[in-house]
Amino acid sequence: MAGPHAVRVPLEVVTPLFLAGAEPRGQPELRPPAFRGALRYWFRAAAGGALGGKSQAVARAEQEVFGAAAGSGSASAVVVRLALPAGMPASKVYAGNDFGSATSGRRYLFWSMAESGSKERGNYQAPKQYFPPGVRFVVEVAPRPGASSAESSLEQAAAALWLLVQLGGVGSRSRRMGGSLSASEAVSAAGLAFALEGASAAEVANELAAGLRQVRKIFQ
């Protein structure tokens, strides 16, 4: 019997995506670890609600899907990959006024990404670089060959990815609207539609509510 297929979601950057590379404020790098960490965060959020906030049960559930380095050192049941376009757009250096005037409120969201300090005083921080809105790439979550409970693990990982796309972000300032993403194509997995189709706030709210009910069903 064939195993579960990989979940591939084409994504587009909506708000500036600040990621670190070899140098924290140098060339940013789109790499799987950043998304894997974000998926773990949203997995814990979903599992915590479904399991009544029992931390040990949540930790066990997370370990079954994403593995653990400590203790048993179990391998992850899923693999996270990124597919980047051949002509990947270059990153930009954040100038501090890229997204609006000082009175717009937008600059406050990313203030720590701007150049700061003084070289003479030894506290200089170079401006951080980011991938601008419009950059596209693909995130793939696939079952690891030989993993047990591959189907349920893939469903839960897909649900975590749905939460990340709809409610979260990746990279620095993701809790201040940085690194927000949207599905650039109509993709469905585990009963979840990644591209919202609502034409009004009420319709989008209904889509999100339906998706959250499906996420809870998956984790229960």
Side-chain angles (χ1 to χ4, degrees), residues 34-127:
F35 287 82
R36 192 177 182 83
L39 290 178
R40 280 182 173 268
Y41 173 88
W42 285 105
F43 182 97
R44 289 192 293 268
L51 299 175
K54 298 176 182 178
S55 59
Q56 292 185 343
V58 172
R60 285 195 298 269
E62 180 185 353
Q63 180 176 332
E64 288 177 3
V65 176
F66 292 104
S72 62
S74 58
S76 172
V78 297
V79 179
V80 180
R81 304 185 184 97
L82 296 185
L84 307 182
M88 183 73 178
S91 61
K92 295 185 177 182
V93 177
Y94 183 58
N97 59 354
D98 298 26
F99 310 107
S101 64
T103 58
S104 71
R106 297 179 184 176
R107 289 176 62 179
Y108 172 75
L109 297 174
F110 310 124
W111 67 269
S112 59
M113 303 293 98
E115 183 180 38
S116 64
S118 166
K119 292 181 179 180
E120 290 75 16
R121 296 179 181 178
N123 61 349
Y124 176 74
Q125 288 278 5

Side-chain angles (χ1 to χ4, degrees), residues 8 24 33 50 52 69 73 82 86 94 118 120 124 135 139 159 162 207 209-210 215:
R8 289 176 56 87
L82 296 185
Y94 183 58
S118 166
E120 290 75 16
Y124 176 74
V135 170
V139 171
W162 185 88
E207 288 184 82
V215 168

